Amino acid sequence: MAFSEIAFKALQDVVGEGNVTTDPVICQSYSRVQWTADGCVQRSQLGVGMRPQCVVLPRSTEEVQSIIKLANRYDFIFIPRGTGMINSAFPNPAQAAMGKGVVIIDPKHMDKIIKIDKNNMYMVIEPYVNFAACQAEAMKVGCSVAVAPAGAQISALANIQWHGAYGNSWISGLGSNQLLSFEVVLPSGEILRSGNIAQEGAEEDWVWNDGPGPDLRGFFRGAQFGHAGGMGMVTKISMRLFPWPGPSVFPTQGDGILKESHFPKDKVRWYMIDFPADMQAYPENEERQLRWACDLQYEIARAELAIVVQHNAKQFMWTWAARSKEEFHKGAEEDFYPHGYTIVGTAAITSVEQLDYEEKVLKSIVEKMGGTFLSENSPDPLDRERYIKWMRITNDWIRVGHSMRLSRPSDCFHQGTACVDSIDTVTDEILRANIAQRKMREQGLGKDLLPISFHGGWISPTEKGYGALMTTDLWPEQEPEKAAQAIQFLLSSLKGMLVDKSAGAAVCLLGPAYDLLGPAFFNVHLIVKDLKKQFDLKNISNPPYATTPDVIAPEMLAEMTKVL
Amino acid sequence: MSSAAATTVQSIVEALAGVVGSENVHTDIETLKKYSCDTSLMPARMPDFIVRVMTRDEIMGVIKFANANRIPVVPRSSGTGTYGTGIPMEGGIILDLSGMKRIPRTDTRNRWVLLEAGVTFGEVNEELAKHGMQCLNPLLPRKDKSVITSVLEREPVLTCKTECDEPFRTAELVWGTGELMRTGAMSVDHMPPEDMPDKTHSDLCGCGGPGIDWWRLLTGCQGTFGVVNIMNVKIFHKPLKQKIVFLPFDRIEDAVMPLYTIQRREIGHECFLLNGMDLAAILAEDGADIAALAQKLPNFAIVLNLWGGQFFPNDRIAYEEKAIKDICDQFHCSVSEGLSAVRDANVQLQGMLNSPWQGDVYWKDRAKGACIEIVFQNGLDKVPALWNTFTKLAGDYGLDTRELGMYIQPRQRCRVCHVEFHIPCDPQGADLANVKAFQRRAAETLINEGAFFYRPYYDWADMIYARAGYTFETIKKLKNILDPNHTLNPGKILL
Ligand SMILES: Cc1cc2nc3c(=O)[nH]c(=O)nc-3n(C[C@H](O)[C@H](O)[C@H](O)COP(=O)(O)OP(=O)(O)OC[C@H]3O[C@@H](n4cnc5c(N)ncnc54)[C@H](O)[C@@H]3O)c2cc1C
Ligand SMILES: Cc1cc2nc3c(=O)[nH]c(=O)nc-3n(C[C@H](O)[C@H](O)[C@H](O)COP(=O)(O)OP(=O)(O)OC[C@H]3O[C@@H](n4cnc5c(N)ncnc54)[C@H](O)[C@@H]3O)c2cc1C
């Protein structure tokens, strides 16, 4: 479909000729394909229909505002973009079916860290600042940021306004916790500011999030997801920084995949904790192991220590620790990590004495529970190797993880399930997903997924154990049928959560899921549809997100959520 | 209840009595008067009906009826209001939730307590003590202060730990239309929330959703979006040992870097800064001694509770103490375990960290009978200049600046500070109009100097929202969606 000439002309007037294009070759590179399973399925359904008609590169909030006003005037769809890693949670032929032009707003020119306030522990960023830059700059001033395993390369702003699961969620929480003040150009073109910056006279100060009056982070974010571009474009945010004991530059040695990173032991210490001897066999003892890991996490919560605490399932251990595809497949076959481990990191935020104290407490807790620490001196030589391989990369939980590792096993990746609630509840969901998916596999479904897909379970407690998030992950190959199987697994987990009244169901409402689940959730979809109608009169801000303005008819809903 | 519009007082009383029983509907002038004002010294306005509710269904019944008949409903959960937020602007019904006193579940593993809107800090701490747990208290709340309204108003807690900053977990509420809603992990079913951890896969820990973060949207709205009847909030394990220390300062400027550094190094749990006047108002044995005591106390003092926790408490306190001494050396200040002018000041304050104010006269009111305030939130580095502006202006108004109080509550390890400037005053005094004029003028001056007025209290909403651009338009749109008939607390925050 050709893009409106007058709209294109107007966009040129706003951003200059060099910053807007309809060139099909350039636009194709913005088509919403990634190596995610939904991207793969979408591509098979839409082909070049996934190509936007136009891409525009604004330099400022004012230009974004003009672009969005033009979208209203000339009735085209706009998609706010971060770095384009993941644009949707469901296959989305809806946009293509609307028959309107689609413009991607690429924030590449809005790439500045505007301010770092080390005393008040926040950083103000534009949309194209990635996590690597945030972490590097934060560490220079004795701070650190929340660290998304999605990668160093992604937009920190995009992540924080829309999702956010972190390697150090123990101290940082979820994405919605990182969001302090924010500025967003709403779908109407109006500018909304929340926090200090909302108040004329206090706008230099980006320190705080809520008010004046109601906390508008609630309007803009959810626990798992924000509006996914369905409520305008965020142009600046301030994000939380956390105390960091140093070093101020991340220590690394080696090149490429051989790169390693080790902290001085008077700053940061890592622990890799194994289950008691009588529950080693996996998967027979999976439930006992995970419950043990929960008990350990609750004890660490009671002790109020550490900066990283998590249980990494077998699948996460090895996708992270393996350095190459070859090493991965070899190790997976040999069962290099036979089960999951609990990983704990402590930091000398108060002092070196604090590190010694925390080590003493951790050791006493683990000992009492019958667990052991792996180390370079573990009696079993294999354990030594397991420890050494993990320690090469464990700093990545602080540095900013590298999601490419997650895609490495099969060049494609999908979530098996996800949940946010207590440490115990998210563990229920890991067990549900693993058990159900293994059973389905016995019946032939998902036989094409890599075997490691069936050993999931990232227990990632948040806010020092007051809550938790978990995911399990699946590895199909980049073929639509295989990818579709992964998506079906996710949907069946979701159904299980609904039937069993799991907290996980409450946090997956987005897109068509609002219509699917809303009636079971106090008709919340009707309110969100009202929001969409009131704030996005023409339904042009990345539809169908956060939801469609009108209730979707059942047959249409079936079509929209059909996997393949 | 008939469907015809109720327009006479009699028919409304009957309809309300049908929902809550006639003994819970009050229209006598004495009762109405009691609810027409609070301690803010804001002008009183009369409600028409006081309705005491005990259950969620009663709340829904009252709001549905009121919404259908376009009668305002003002929710109140605490016995005493403080900032004028519960004074009815357009008459109507005061929905009194203070009788809802159940604390149906405490979860020590996940560290929360589930409580109804009328439960006070004293009541919840008494319950939690049985479990070896403690509530996240604000500074010496009134005895009759509802925990839920404190959380809804985002009143800061004494613990500066980042993960304790937002105690809200999940809640059940009734929208202005009378429709029911639940937030976060509580939304997966309609059963009583206390049963959910046993009967569902929800431990009431996930606060977000369903979909967006309703729990956050509900805070700071002064009851204009929805009425919360039950909520679970974060709690923490009582430490085996703890120890209060004081860092005194002559000038507020000198306290800035030590306070930042203590928090940056994550030392201790509860921590706050008071000036001599506020310290005296809390510690004086007799209200009449406050002024004299204030002169003997440090001009400013950081109060810090070193925290031994649950494991090897002596070791923990020892390394925290060592770190504090380092900080004092670094910034040339001192730390002590007591205050020379008050015996056992540390012991007294220790007891106050998890209890409401015990005296009959509220501590802020002790000096002169009443106290009006300026409330804002900024980075700590901004506060000294704002304090200087405030005290200078007070001098211009002929106020005795030695009588002014100051309370700084660092939040999230001092990412930001909640700040209160206190203006003690005689509610019957000849000077009251001048004091009130000063408060308004000071608010305007401070806002112009960059103080962030995050809570539109008193008569500040016009001043604040005039400076808030499209933010206020957004809030109005939200109001029209959530409470289309403007049933809930109309007139508050200009809605
Ligand atoms: C293998 C893999 C691992 C992942 N791991 C994690 C993880 O550990 N933690 C985590 O949090 N996420 C994870 N994700 C999810 C996701 O990739 C990230 O959340 C990430 O933020 C995407 O960043 P991006 O810059 O590519 O954003 P994009 O993909 O470009 O955008 C994400 C969404 O936000 C919208 N958006 C972007 N910018 C704006 C803006 N300025 N205003 C309004 N809306 C906007 C977009 O329209 C889109 O809907 C993972 C994804 C994959 C595929
Ligand atoms: C800077 C500051 C310092 C404070 N210091 C103290 C202090 O030291 N001691 C102290 O006691 N208080 C203190 N507070 C007061 C306290 O935060 C507010 O008074 C309180 O949060 C509101 O309760 P209330 O008793 O004033 O009024 P309430 O009448 O109970 O309610 C306040 C508002 O919430 C609404 N509301 C009531 N119940 C509900 C409900 N169940 N659901 C939804 N909305 C509801 C009301 O309609 C009203 O608008 C302080 C507040 C601030 C901002």
Side-chain angles (χ1 to χ4, degrees), chain A residues 34-36 79-88 107 127 131 147-151 153-167 184 220 227-235 316 403-404 406-407 413 415 458 542 545:
Chain A
Q34 266 285 358
W35 32 263
T36 57
I79 304 179
R81 182 178 160 107
T83 61
M85 188 180 195
I86 188 164
N87 264 327
S88 61
F131 271 113
V147 178
Q153 79 289 353
I154 58 167
S155 151
L157 178 148
N159 178 270
I160 287 169
Q161 62 83 41
W162 115 272
H163 188 44
Y166 303 116
V184 52
F220 213 79
H227 291 279
M231 197 51 84
M233 174 142 177
V234 181
T235 42
F316 245 38
S403 61
M404 293 311 148
L406 292 178
S407 66
F413 166 88
Q415 228 165 52
W458 179 34
N542 202 19
Y545 299 113

Side-chain angles (χ1 to χ4, degrees), chain A residues 117-121 141-143 176-177 180 186 188 190-193 195-196 198-202 205 207-208 210-219 221-223 227 240-243 294-295 298-299 301-304 349-351 353-354 357-358 360-361 364-365 420-425 428-429 432 463-467 500-503 506-507 509 514 520-522 524 527-528 530-531 534-535, chain B residues 109-111 154 161-166 169 175 180-182 184-185 187-191 200-206 208-214 216-217 219-221 225 234-237 257 260 264-267 269 307-308 310-312 315-316 319 322-323 377-382 411-416 447 450-454 456 464-468 470-471 474-475 477-478 481-482 493:
Chain A
D117 185 333
K118 67 172 180 182
N119 284 332
N120 300 313
M121 290 192 290
V141 298
C143 294
S176 57
N177 296 106
L180 298 171
L186 291 169
S188 58
E190 304 285 354
I191 296 177
L192 165 66
R193 297 188 176 90
N196 287 47
Q199 184 191 297
E200 199 184 298
D205 212 351
V207 66
W208 200 242
D210 52 62
D215 183 351
L216 295 180
R217 286 177 304 167
F219 159 61
R221 273 251 16 170
H227 291 279
R240 277 182 182 177
L241 301 177
F242 299 88
C294 290
D295 289 344
Y298 280 110
E299 278 301 273
R302 191 158 71 84
E304 301 192 15
I349 307 286
T350 309
S351 60
E353 289 84 356
Q354 177 197 12
Y357 167 81
E358 297 199 355
K360 177 173 168 182
V361 175
S364 97
I365 291 172
V420 176
D421 194 40
S422 68
I423 295 169
D424 285 334
T425 304
D428 293 347
E429 291 312 319
R432 176 211 305 284
E463 299 183 282
K464 297 223 167 140
Y466 277 108
D500 275 4
K501 303 188 184 306
S502 160
V507 293
L509 285 83
Y514 265 112
F521 283 89
F522 298 86
V524 66
I527 309 179
V528 181
D530 257 357
L531 290 177
Q534 286 284 325
F535 287 93
Chain B
R109 188 165 162 96
N110 290 304
R111 292 176 290 169
R154 299 193 298 255
K161 294 164 67 83
T162 304
E163 64 273 18
C164 294
D165 187 56
E166 291 177 294
R169 306 265 73 189
W175 295 122
L180 195 65
M181 172 74 176
R182 284 183 173 189
S187 65
V188 301
D189 200 73
H190 285 68
M191 71 176 73
T200 68
H201 287 273
S202 165
D203 277 340
L204 308 184
C205 288
I212 58 176
D213 282 344
W214 305 102
R216 284 212 167 108
L217 194 53
T219 65
C221 71
F225 288 172
K234 289 177 186 166
I235 56 178
F236 63 98
H237 293 278
M257 280 321 292
Y260 270 133
R264 167 66 73 93
R265 290 176 66 179
E266 301 193 339
I267 301 169
H269 254 231
W307 193 81
Q310 296 266 314
F311 297 82
F312 309 112
D315 293 14
R316 186 159 191 153
Y319 86 68
K322 178 164 180 288
Q377 192 145 263
N378 280 85
L380 179 61
D381 45 1
K382 292 253 176 0
R411 299 177 64 179
Q412 299 187 5
R413 294 300 184 188
C414 212
R415 174 167 292 117
V416 76
I447 204 171
F452 175 46
F453 277 53
Y454 72 124
I464 294 167
Y465 285 129
R467 289 165 169 80
Y470 199 75
T471 305
T474 304
I475 294 170
K477 280 191 178 180
L478 294 171
I481 291 169
L482 300 174
I493 56 172

